Every structure is written in C-alpha cells, then in structure tokens.
C-alpha cells in the first residue's frame, strides 16, 4: 500500500502560517497597549505633581508662577486626554487581533481534524489489507493449519 499522504498539506501549512502571523499581530497589539497605558500613567503622575505644586503654593505665589502652572496643567491635560484615546484604540486593536487569532486557530483546527480523519481512514484501510493478506495466507492449500500440530504427519 502507498505511504500516507495528506491531501491538504498545502492548506495545513497555510493555516499554520496564518495562525502564527495572527499570534504575532496579537502580541504586537498587546505591547502597544501596554506602552499606551504606561504613557497614560506617566501623564497622570505628572498631573499629580502639578496638583502637589499648587497645594504648596496655596499660601500665595507670584502671578507668573501661577500662570506657568496653569499653562502646564492645560498641556498635561491635553496629553492625558490623547493618552486615554490611545489606550482605548489600543484596547480595541487587542480585541480585534484576539478575534483574528481565534478565527485563525479554528481554521487550523478544522484542517487538523480533517487530517486526523483521513489518517484514521488510511489506517483502517491498511488494517483491512493486512487482514486480507493474512486470510489469503491461511487459506492457501498446503498451508499449515494453526489448529493442527506441525508434527502430526501420519
């Protein structure tokens, strides 16, 4: 009998490659989200620093210092708003790439299940052919009957 050959090997290779690419994209999306979150926390820490400086100057300060703090607060607030949007976009990208990864995994698993079924059919056919060969050997004339001892010649 011919050796086993999976008929959809090219599709299997393609599905494995697609799953690997989807996994890489998911990893990159998670890293991007982590970076966006880190920048957001850094911006919020800067806002805390501004708040603390305002508390320290509550007894009185020159107008120029207060104007500088007000300008700084506006710039950091704008960065914080942008950072929140970036985190939301990055989270959306993570969800999208996760769904892509799950779809790629399901498509690969479908091909793997088909491979398993095809391999099982091949193994059953191989077993039938082997049994057929054994039956032919047993039914040949002059073959030793396994129920009769070999030394019973007379």
């Amino acid at each position: 009998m011919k050796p086993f050959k999976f008929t959809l090997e090219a599709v299997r290779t393609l599905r494995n490659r697609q799953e690997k690419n989807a996994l890489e994209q998911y990893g990159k999306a998670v890293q991007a989200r982590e970076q966006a979150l880190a920048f957001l926390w850094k911006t919020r820490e800067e806002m805390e620093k501004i708040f603390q400086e305002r508390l320290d100057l509550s007894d009185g300060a020159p107008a120029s210092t207060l104007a500088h703090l007000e300008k700084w607060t506006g710039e950091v607030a704008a960065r914080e708003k942008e950072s929140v949007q970036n985190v939301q976009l990055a989270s959306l990208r993570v969800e999208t790439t996760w769904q892509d990864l799950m779809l790629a995994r399901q498509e690969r698993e479908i091909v793997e299940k088909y491979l398993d079924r095809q391999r099982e059919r091949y193994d059953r056919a191989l077993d039938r052919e082997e049994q057929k060969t054994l039956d032919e050997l047993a039914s040949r004339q002059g073959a030793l009957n396994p129920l009769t001892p070999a030394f019973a010649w007379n």
Side-chain angles (χ1 to χ4, degrees):
M1 186 168 197
K2 292 191 255 181
F4 177 75
K5 182 170 177 6
F6 184 46
T7 57
L8 298 178
E9 191 61 41
V11 174
R12 181 177 176 215
T13 302
L14 178 66
R15 296 291 189 244
N16 284 333
R17 189 175 306 134
Q18 287 173 337
E19 182 182 16
K20 182 182 174 189
N21 289 340
L23 183 60
E24 288 174 4
Q25 293 301 316
Y26 176 70
K28 288 177 183 178
V30 169
Q31 285 179 337
R33 182 181 63 185
E34 292 301 318
Q35 290 173 347
L37 279 170
F39 188 74
L40 176 62
W41 286 114
K42 187 176 171 183
T43 305
R44 289 190 172 161
E45 287 172 2
E46 193 172 355
M47 282 294 268
E48 284 291 322
K49 183 178 176 183
I50 293 170
F51 180 72
Q52 192 60 42
E53 283 191 33
R54 282 186 170 198
L55 285 178
D56 293 344
L57 296 175
S58 62
D59 294 336
S64 63
T65 305
L66 291 176
H68 172 71
L69 278 175
E70 193 63 34
K71 182 181 176 187
W72 188 20
T73 302
E75 290 171 0
V76 174
R79 274 194 313 220
E80 182 181 26
K81 184 178 178 182
E82 184 181 342
S83 295
V84 167
Q85 290 174 349
N86 287 341
V87 168
Q88 290 172 341
L89 287 174
S91 294
L92 182 62
R93 175 116 172 95
V94 166
E95 289 176 28
T96 303
T97 56
W98 175 255
Q99 291 171 356
D100 292 345
L101 174 60
M102 291 297 103
L103 180 63
R105 185 165 288 160
Q106 288 173 350
E107 289 176 349
R108 179 198 47 85
E109 288 173 352
I110 289 169
V111 174
E112 293 291 331
K113 286 180 184 177
Y114 184 73
L115 166 67
D116 292 342
R117 286 193 307 259
Q118 194 174 29
R119 182 67 192 202
E120 287 173 8
R121 282 193 302 267
Y122 173 82
D123 288 342
R124 281 194 304 269
L126 191 63
D127 289 344
R128 278 192 304 270
E129 189 172 308
E130 184 178 314
Q131 186 62 46
K132 182 180 175 184
T133 304
L134 290 174
D135 290 345
E136 286 176 5
L137 284 174
S139 66
R140 282 187 187 167
Q141 279 190 336
L144 294 177
N145 186 346
L147 300 177
T148 308
F151 55 86
W153 51 274
N154 49 359

